[in-house]
mmCIF file of all heavy atoms in Angstrom:
data_model
loop_
_atom_site.group_PDB
_atom_site.id
_atom_site.type_symbol
_atom_site.label_atom_id
_atom_site.label_comp_id
_atom_site.label_asym_id
_atom_site.label_seq_id
_atom_site.Cartn_x
_atom_site.Cartn_y
_atom_site.Cartn_z
ATOM 1 N N PHE L 229 10.681 1.012 -10.725
ATOM 2 C CA PHE L 229 11.141 0.164 -9.625
ATOM 3 C C PHE L 229 9.944 -0.506 -8.949
ATOM 4 O O PHE L 229 8.887 0.101 -8.768
ATOM 5 C CB PHE L 229 11.895 0.999 -8.593
ATOM 6 C CG PHE L 229 13.124 1.677 -9.137
ATOM 7 C CD1 PHE L 229 13.030 2.936 -9.730
ATOM 8 C CD2 PHE L 229 14.364 1.060 -9.072
ATOM 9 C CE1 PHE L 229 14.155 3.568 -10.240
ATOM 10 C CE2 PHE L 229 15.492 1.684 -9.581
ATOM 11 C CZ PHE L 229 15.389 2.933 -10.169
ATOM 12 N N HIS L 230 10.135 -1.760 -8.577
ATOM 13 C CA HIS L 230 9.151 -2.494 -7.797
ATOM 14 C C HIS L 230 9.462 -2.273 -6.321
ATOM 15 O O HIS L 230 10.587 -2.498 -5.873
ATOM 16 C CB HIS L 230 9.227 -3.984 -8.144
ATOM 17 C CG HIS L 230 8.346 -4.851 -7.301
ATOM 18 N ND1 HIS L 230 8.761 -6.056 -6.770
ATOM 19 C CD2 HIS L 230 7.060 -4.697 -6.893
ATOM 20 C CE1 HIS L 230 7.781 -6.597 -6.087
ATOM 21 N NE2 HIS L 230 6.737 -5.794 -6.132
ATOM 22 N N THR L 231 8.467 -1.821 -5.553
ATOM 23 C CA THR L 231 8.695 -1.498 -4.146
ATOM 24 C C THR L 231 7.992 -2.440 -3.179
ATOM 25 O O THR L 231 8.460 -2.630 -2.051
ATOM 26 C CB THR L 231 8.254 -0.062 -3.834
ATOM 27 O OG1 THR L 231 6.844 0.082 -4.106
ATOM 28 C CG2 THR L 231 9.038 0.939 -4.684
ATOM 29 N N TYR L 232 6.858 -3.043 -3.595
ATOM 30 C CA TYR L 232 6.109 -3.854 -2.630
ATOM 31 C C TYR L 232 5.074 -4.710 -3.346
ATOM 32 O O TYR L 232 4.540 -4.313 -4.386
ATOM 33 C CB TYR L 232 5.393 -2.952 -1.619
ATOM 34 C CG TYR L 232 4.674 -3.699 -0.514
ATOM 35 C CD1 TYR L 232 5.379 -4.308 0.514
ATOM 36 C CD2 TYR L 232 3.283 -3.799 -0.509
ATOM 37 C CE1 TYR L 232 4.721 -5.004 1.523
ATOM 38 C CE2 TYR L 232 2.615 -4.491 0.499
ATOM 39 C CZ TYR L 232 3.348 -5.095 1.510
ATOM 40 O OH TYR L 232 2.705 -5.780 2.505
ATOM 41 N N SER L 233 4.777 -5.885 -2.778
ATOM 42 C CA SER L 233 3.662 -6.720 -3.232
ATOM 43 C C SER L 233 3.024 -7.389 -2.026
ATOM 44 O O SER L 233 3.699 -7.672 -1.018
ATOM 45 C CB SER L 233 4.126 -7.795 -4.221
ATOM 46 O OG SER L 233 4.407 -7.251 -5.484
ATOM 47 N N ALA L 234 1.716 -7.652 -2.122
ATOM 48 C CA ALA L 234 0.984 -8.384 -1.088
ATOM 49 C C ALA L 234 -0.018 -9.293 -1.783
ATOM 50 O O ALA L 234 -0.474 -8.997 -2.903
ATOM 51 C CB ALA L 234 0.267 -7.424 -0.136
ATOM 52 N N TYR L 235 -0.386 -10.387 -1.100
ATOM 53 C CA TYR L 235 -1.236 -11.389 -1.724
ATOM 54 C C TYR L 235 -2.303 -11.890 -0.751
ATOM 55 O O TYR L 235 -2.126 -11.844 0.462
ATOM 56 C CB TYR L 235 -0.392 -12.590 -2.192
ATOM 57 C CG TYR L 235 0.808 -12.191 -3.016
ATOM 58 C CD1 TYR L 235 2.066 -12.073 -2.420
ATOM 59 C CD2 TYR L 235 0.697 -11.908 -4.366
ATOM 60 C CE1 TYR L 235 3.178 -11.699 -3.164
ATOM 61 C CE2 TYR L 235 1.795 -11.529 -5.124
ATOM 62 C CZ TYR L 235 3.033 -11.425 -4.512
ATOM 63 O OH TYR L 235 4.121 -11.039 -5.246
ATOM 64 N N GLU L 236 -3.419 -12.326 -1.319
ATOM 65 C CA GLU L 236 -4.478 -13.017 -0.590
ATOM 66 C C GLU L 236 -4.893 -12.264 0.675
ATOM 67 O O GLU L 236 -5.384 -11.155 0.604
ATOM 68 C CB GLU L 236 -4.030 -14.465 -0.322
ATOM 69 C CG GLU L 236 -3.798 -15.219 -1.628
ATOM 70 C CD GLU L 236 -3.169 -16.584 -1.464
ATOM 71 O OE1 GLU L 236 -2.494 -16.825 -0.437
ATOM 72 O OE2 GLU L 236 -3.333 -17.424 -2.376
ATOM 73 N N ARG L 237 -4.677 -12.828 1.884
ATOM 74 C CA ARG L 237 -5.118 -12.151 3.107
ATOM 75 C C ARG L 237 -4.401 -10.831 3.330
ATOM 76 O O ARG L 237 -4.865 -9.985 4.108
ATOM 77 C CB ARG L 237 -4.904 -13.066 4.327
ATOM 78 C CG ARG L 237 -5.860 -14.234 4.441
ATOM 79 C CD ARG L 237 -7.302 -13.781 4.643
ATOM 80 N NE ARG L 237 -7.474 -12.877 5.758
ATOM 81 C CZ ARG L 237 -7.621 -13.261 7.035
ATOM 82 N NH1 ARG L 237 -7.601 -14.553 7.343
ATOM 83 N NH2 ARG L 237 -7.807 -12.373 7.996
ATOM 84 N N GLY L 238 -3.258 -10.631 2.657
ATOM 85 C CA GLY L 238 -2.567 -9.358 2.755
ATOM 86 C C GLY L 238 -3.344 -8.205 2.139
ATOM 87 O O GLY L 238 -2.989 -7.039 2.328
ATOM 88 N N LEU L 239 -4.434 -8.530 1.414
ATOM 89 C CA LEU L 239 -5.268 -7.496 0.794
ATOM 90 C C LEU L 239 -6.444 -7.094 1.678
ATOM 91 O O LEU L 239 -7.182 -6.171 1.337
ATOM 92 C CB LEU L 239 -5.809 -7.992 -0.558
ATOM 93 C CG LEU L 239 -4.790 -8.593 -1.528
ATOM 94 C CD1 LEU L 239 -5.463 -8.910 -2.859
ATOM 95 C CD2 LEU L 239 -3.608 -7.666 -1.741
ATOM 96 N N ASP L 240 -6.622 -7.796 2.801
ATOM 97 C CA ASP L 240 -7.730 -7.465 3.696
ATOM 98 C C ASP L 240 -7.652 -5.999 4.126
ATOM 99 O O ASP L 240 -6.597 -5.511 4.525
ATOM 100 C CB ASP L 240 -7.685 -8.344 4.954
ATOM 101 C CG ASP L 240 -8.103 -9.775 4.674
ATOM 102 O OD1 ASP L 240 -8.448 -10.081 3.520
ATOM 103 O OD2 ASP L 240 -8.073 -10.591 5.618
ATOM 104 N N GLY L 241 -8.763 -5.313 4.059
ATOM 105 C CA GLY L 241 -8.808 -3.925 4.511
ATOM 106 C C GLY L 241 -8.429 -2.911 3.453
ATOM 107 O O GLY L 241 -8.493 -1.703 3.712
ATOM 108 N N LEU L 242 -8.020 -3.362 2.266
ATOM 109 C CA LEU L 242 -7.667 -2.423 1.200
ATOM 110 C C LEU L 242 -8.915 -1.953 0.450
ATOM 111 O O LEU L 242 -9.947 -2.604 0.460
ATOM 112 C CB LEU L 242 -6.696 -3.072 0.207
ATOM 113 C CG LEU L 242 -5.329 -3.481 0.744
ATOM 114 C CD1 LEU L 242 -4.494 -4.087 -0.380
ATOM 115 C CD2 LEU L 242 -4.611 -2.293 1.355
ATOM 116 N N GLY L 243 -8.787 -0.839 -0.221
ATOM 117 C CA GLY L 243 -9.888 -0.297 -1.026
ATOM 118 C C GLY L 243 -9.975 1.213 -0.936
ATOM 119 O O GLY L 243 -10.335 1.874 -1.909
ATOM 120 N N SER L 244 -9.606 1.767 0.218
ATOM 121 C CA SER L 244 -9.651 3.218 0.373
ATOM 122 C C SER L 244 -8.360 3.856 -0.134
ATOM 123 O O SER L 244 -7.341 3.179 -0.307
ATOM 124 C CB SER L 244 -9.843 3.587 1.847
ATOM 125 O OG SER L 244 -8.699 3.194 2.596
ATOM 126 N N THR L 245 -8.395 5.159 -0.358
ATOM 127 C CA THR L 245 -7.207 5.888 -0.804
ATOM 128 C C THR L 245 -6.053 5.703 0.166
ATOM 129 O O THR L 245 -4.930 5.376 -0.221
ATOM 130 C CB THR L 245 -7.537 7.381 -0.949
ATOM 131 O OG1 THR L 245 -8.550 7.553 -1.947
ATOM 132 C CG2 THR L 245 -6.298 8.176 -1.345
ATOM 133 N N GLY L 246 -6.312 5.901 1.461
ATOM 134 C CA GLY L 246 -5.253 5.787 2.458
ATOM 135 C C GLY L 246 -4.653 4.390 2.525
ATOM 136 O O GLY L 246 -3.444 4.238 2.679
ATOM 137 N N SER L 247 -5.509 3.363 2.401
ATOM 138 C CA SER L 247 -5.001 1.994 2.499
ATOM 139 C C SER L 247 -4.061 1.660 1.353
ATOM 140 O O SER L 247 -3.063 0.960 1.550
ATOM 141 C CB SER L 247 -6.170 1.002 2.535
ATOM 142 O OG SER L 247 -6.864 0.957 1.294
ATOM 143 N N PHE L 248 -4.341 2.149 0.150
ATOM 144 C CA PHE L 248 -3.432 1.918 -0.976
ATOM 145 C C PHE L 248 -2.140 2.717 -0.809
ATOM 146 O O PHE L 248 -1.044 2.206 -1.051
ATOM 147 C CB PHE L 248 -4.108 2.287 -2.296
ATOM 148 C CG PHE L 248 -5.129 1.293 -2.756
ATOM 149 C CD1 PHE L 248 -6.404 1.702 -3.104
ATOM 150 C CD2 PHE L 248 -4.826 -0.051 -2.853
ATOM 151 C CE1 PHE L 248 -7.358 0.791 -3.529
ATOM 152 C CE2 PHE L 248 -5.774 -0.981 -3.278
ATOM 153 C CZ PHE L 248 -7.044 -0.558 -3.620
ATOM 154 N N LEU L 249 -2.250 3.976 -0.392
ATOM 155 C CA LEU L 249 -1.054 4.800 -0.210
ATOM 156 C C LEU L 249 -0.134 4.215 0.853
ATOM 157 O O LEU L 249 1.093 4.324 0.751
ATOM 158 C CB LEU L 249 -1.443 6.231 0.149
ATOM 159 C CG LEU L 249 -2.112 7.046 -0.963
ATOM 160 C CD1 LEU L 249 -2.599 8.380 -0.415
ATOM 161 C CD2 LEU L 249 -1.172 7.263 -2.132
ATOM 162 N N ASP L 250 -0.710 3.569 1.868
ATOM 163 C CA ASP L 250 0.102 2.966 2.929
ATOM 164 C C ASP L 250 0.990 1.845 2.409
ATOM 165 O O ASP L 250 1.968 1.470 3.065
ATOM 166 C CB ASP L 250 -0.791 2.432 4.048
ATOM 167 C CG ASP L 250 -1.332 3.534 4.936
ATOM 168 O OD1 ASP L 250 -0.780 4.656 4.909
ATOM 169 O OD2 ASP L 250 -2.321 3.289 5.655
ATOM 170 N N LEU L 251 0.677 1.288 1.242
ATOM 171 C CA LEU L 251 1.492 0.226 0.663
ATOM 172 C C LEU L 251 2.639 0.761 -0.183
ATOM 173 O O LEU L 251 3.545 0.008 -0.538
ATOM 174 C CB LEU L 251 0.631 -0.684 -0.223
ATOM 175 C CG LEU L 251 -0.553 -1.391 0.420
ATOM 176 C CD1 LEU L 251 -1.219 -2.303 -0.601
ATOM 177 C CD2 LEU L 251 -0.134 -2.177 1.653
ATOM 178 N N THR L 252 2.604 2.049 -0.507
ATOM 179 C CA THR L 252 3.557 2.611 -1.456
ATOM 180 C C THR L 252 4.806 3.151 -0.767
ATOM 181 O O THR L 252 4.823 3.402 0.438
ATOM 182 C CB THR L 252 2.912 3.740 -2.273
ATOM 183 O OG1 THR L 252 2.618 4.851 -1.396
ATOM 184 C CG2 THR L 252 1.623 3.270 -2.942
ATOM 185 N N ALA L 253 5.838 3.370 -1.573
ATOM 186 C CA ALA L 253 7.109 3.878 -1.050
ATOM 187 C C ALA L 253 6.986 5.309 -0.527
ATOM 188 O O ALA L 253 7.690 5.698 0.402
ATOM 189 C CB ALA L 253 8.181 3.810 -2.133
ATOM 190 N N LEU L 254 6.099 6.098 -1.115
ATOM 191 C CA LEU L 254 5.934 7.490 -0.685
ATOM 192 C C LEU L 254 4.859 7.652 0.378
ATOM 193 O O LEU L 254 4.723 8.725 0.963
ATOM 194 C CB LEU L 254 5.604 8.383 -1.890
ATOM 195 C CG LEU L 254 6.638 8.409 -3.013
ATOM 196 C CD1 LEU L 254 6.216 9.400 -4.102
ATOM 197 C CD2 LEU L 254 8.028 8.751 -2.492
ATOM 198 N N GLY L 255 4.077 6.599 0.617
ATOM 199 C CA GLY L 255 3.050 6.655 1.651
ATOM 200 C C GLY L 255 1.991 7.705 1.385
ATOM 201 O O GLY L 255 1.679 8.019 0.240
ATOM 202 N N ARG L 256 1.455 8.257 2.459
ATOM 203 C CA ARG L 256 0.415 9.296 2.338
ATOM 204 C C ARG L 256 1.020 10.672 2.085
ATOM 205 O O ARG L 256 0.307 11.649 1.942
ATOM 206 C CB ARG L 256 -0.449 9.322 3.590
ATOM 207 C CG ARG L 256 -1.109 7.978 3.884
ATOM 208 C CD ARG L 256 -2.118 8.067 5.001
ATOM 209 N NE ARG L 256 -2.622 6.739 5.346
ATOM 210 C CZ ARG L 256 -3.714 6.520 6.068
ATOM 211 N NH1 ARG L 256 -4.414 7.552 6.533
ATOM 212 N NH2 ARG L 256 -4.106 5.289 6.345
ATOM 213 N N GLN L 257 2.352 10.734 2.101
ATOM 214 C CA GLN L 257 3.089 11.959 1.790
ATOM 215 C C GLN L 257 2.764 13.080 2.770
ATOM 216 O O GLN L 257 2.620 14.246 2.396
ATOM 217 C CB GLN L 257 2.805 12.382 0.344
ATOM 218 C CG GLN L 257 3.181 11.303 -0.668
ATOM 219 C CD GLN L 257 2.511 11.473 -2.002
ATOM 220 O OE1 GLN L 257 2.422 12.590 -2.517
ATOM 221 N NE2 GLN L 257 2.033 10.382 -2.584
ATOM 222 N N GLU L 258 2.647 12.702 4.042
ATOM 223 C CA GLU L 258 2.351 13.654 5.103
ATOM 224 C C GLU L 258 3.590 13.856 5.976
ATOM 225 O O GLU L 258 4.432 12.972 6.106
ATOM 226 C CB GLU L 258 1.170 13.150 5.936
ATOM 227 C CG GLU L 258 -0.111 13.006 5.106
ATOM 228 C CD GLU L 258 -1.233 12.324 5.855
ATOM 229 O OE1 GLU L 258 -1.128 12.188 7.090
ATOM 230 O OE2 GLU L 258 -2.214 11.917 5.209
ATOM 231 N N GLU L 259 3.693 15.024 6.599
ATOM 232 C CA GLU L 259 4.895 15.418 7.324
ATOM 233 C C GLU L 259 5.207 14.504 8.513
ATOM 234 O O GLU L 259 6.365 14.313 8.872
ATOM 235 C CB GLU L 259 4.757 16.865 7.812
ATOM 236 C CG GLU L 259 4.733 17.909 6.706
ATOM 237 C CD GLU L 259 6.065 18.011 5.972
ATOM 238 O OE1 GLU L 259 7.087 17.504 6.499
ATOM 239 O OE2 GLU L 259 6.097 18.604 4.878
#
């Protein structure tokens, strides 16, 4: 399943583990 996409300036600030997980459907998987 496709859950999310972002482009161009929407990628600003990405690169760390947390920043990528924040884009996903399951997130950081914290309580």
Side-chain angles (χ1 to χ4, degrees):
F229 299 88
H230 174 224
T231 61
Y232 184 74
S233 286
Y235 310 97
E236 298 172 336
R237 287 296 306 276
L239 310 185
D240 287 359
L242 297 181
S244 66
T245 298
S247 68
F248 285 128
L249 291 173
D250 284 343
L251 301 183
T252 67
L254 301 183
R256 303 188 186 196
Q257 302 160 43
E258 298 172 14
E259 293 293 344

